[in-house]
Amino acid sequence: MNQTFEDLKKIIFENKFSTLLFSILIFSTIWLKEVNFLFYETIESPDIDKYIVYLEHFFNGKATNKEHGLMYYYLQSLNYSFFYSEFNNFDLYIHKSIQQVNFYIYLFGIIGYYKLLKFLNFSNNVIFVTFIFLNFFPPSISMRIVFKPEILAFALLPWIVFLIESFISTKKIYYLYFSMPLIVSALTIKGNVLVIISLYLFF
C-alpha cells in the first residue's frame, strides 16, 4: 500500500513539474519571438541582398539565377502576400513577415522533435528542458531572425527521422511514402543542406 502511494505521489509530482516546464517553454518561445522582432531588423541580416531576389521572383517574376530550392522563399512570399501586401512600408512588414514565417517553421520543427523524442522514450521533463535550452541557444535564435532557408532543414529533419524510424519499427510502408516529400524538400533547400542530410540519412 505504501509503495502504491509513493508511486502515485511520484506520478503527480512529475506531472506538476512537466506542467511547469511546459509553461516555461511556451512563455519563453513567445517572449523570444517578440524580443527578436523588437530588437533585430531582419532586413539587415547577412546576405539579405543576395536572397531578396527570391521574393522578387515570386512578386515580379524576376529570374533568380541561383541554385537554392524555392520552398522556403515561397512560404515567405505567400505569407507576405496574404497578410501584408496592402501596406506601403515594405521594409517594415517584410521584416515582420520573415520572422513570423520563421517562427511557424520553428514550431513545426519543435513538434517534430517532440514526436521523435517521445518515440525514443524520452520523458516529458527531459524533452521540455531540452527545448527551453534550445530556445535560448544562440544558433537557434539566429536561424529564427535571419532570411535563410536553413531553418526549414531544422524543421524537416526530425519528421524525416521519425517517419523512417516508424517504418523500421512497424514495417508499414505508408511511413516511407509520407517521408518522401519531406526528404525531397529537405535535399533541395541548399547545397550544404543536401550534403549534410544525405550523409546523415546514409549513416
Side-chain angles (χ1 to χ4, degrees):
M1 185 69 178
N2 287 338
Q3 183 63 40
T4 303
F5 178 76
E6 288 298 320
D7 291 342
L8 182 61
K9 187 169 68 172
K10 182 179 179 181
I11 291 172
I12 293 172
F13 175 77
E14 183 176 284
N15 288 341
K16 284 183 177 179
F17 190 54
S18 293
T19 301
L20 175 62
L21 289 175
F22 182 71
S23 300
I24 294 172
L25 173 62
I26 295 298
F27 174 79
S28 65
T29 303
I30 296 174
W31 179 75
L32 277 169
K33 172 183 179 293
E34 298 304 318
V35 168
N36 290 339
F37 173 70
L38 291 174
F39 291 98
Y40 186 84
E41 287 287 340
T42 299
I43 58 171
E44 297 179 2
S45 63
D47 299 324
I48 187 72
D49 293 335
K50 183 167 67 174
Y51 296 141
I52 204 72
V53 69
Y54 287 98
L55 292 183
E56 295 174 354
H57 169 73
F58 288 108
F59 294 153
N60 305 316
K62 182 178 180 180
T64 65
N65 298 317
K66 295 184 183 298
E67 76 287 354
H68 292 187
L70 296 178
M71 175 176 282
Y72 173 76
Y73 305 105
Y74 176 69
L75 293 174
Q76 293 287 359
S77 64
L78 199 64
N79 188 76
Y80 181 85
S81 297
F82 190 77
F83 290 106
Y84 304 111
S85 59
E86 63 187 54
F87 300 106
N88 294 324
N89 193 334
F90 177 79
D91 287 351
L92 172 64
Y93 289 105
I94 195 63
H95 154 67
K96 182 174 179 62
S97 181
I98 288 170
Q99 290 202 17
Q100 191 176 52
V101 173
N102 285 354
F103 179 71
Y104 296 151
I105 295 173
Y106 179 76
L107 289 184
F108 180 73
I110 287 295
I111 295 170
Y113 284 105
Y114 178 81
K115 292 279 290 182
L116 177 60
L117 292 173
K118 289 299 287 184
F119 179 83
L120 298 174
N121 297 317
F122 285 85
S123 70
N124 282 340
N125 291 350
V126 171
I127 294 172
F128 294 154
V129 168
T130 302
F131 288 171
I132 291 168
F133 171 78
L134 182 63
N135 271 346
F136 291 93
F137 191 49
S140 170
I141 294 175
S142 174
M143 72 179 179
R144 279 174 275 168
I145 61 178
V146 299
F147 185 54
K148 289 189 175 183
E150 281 82 356
I151 191 171
L152 191 58
F154 162 86
L156 292 177
L157 182 59
W159 290 102
I160 293 169
V161 176
F162 170 72
L163 290 170
I164 291 175
E165 290 291 341
S166 297
F167 167 72
I168 293 171
S169 176
T170 65
K171 305 303 180 186
K172 294 179 179 178
I173 195 68
Y174 62 79
Y175 284 114
L176 281 184
Y177 290 143
F178 289 147
S179 72
M180 290 304 172
L182 302 182
I183 293 173
V184 171
S185 298
L187 295 181
T188 56
I189 289 173
K190 200 176 179 181
N192 59 347
V193 175
L194 167 66
V195 173
I196 293 169
I197 292 184
S198 297
L199 288 174
Y200 178 82
L201 293 178
F202 176 77
F203 287 110

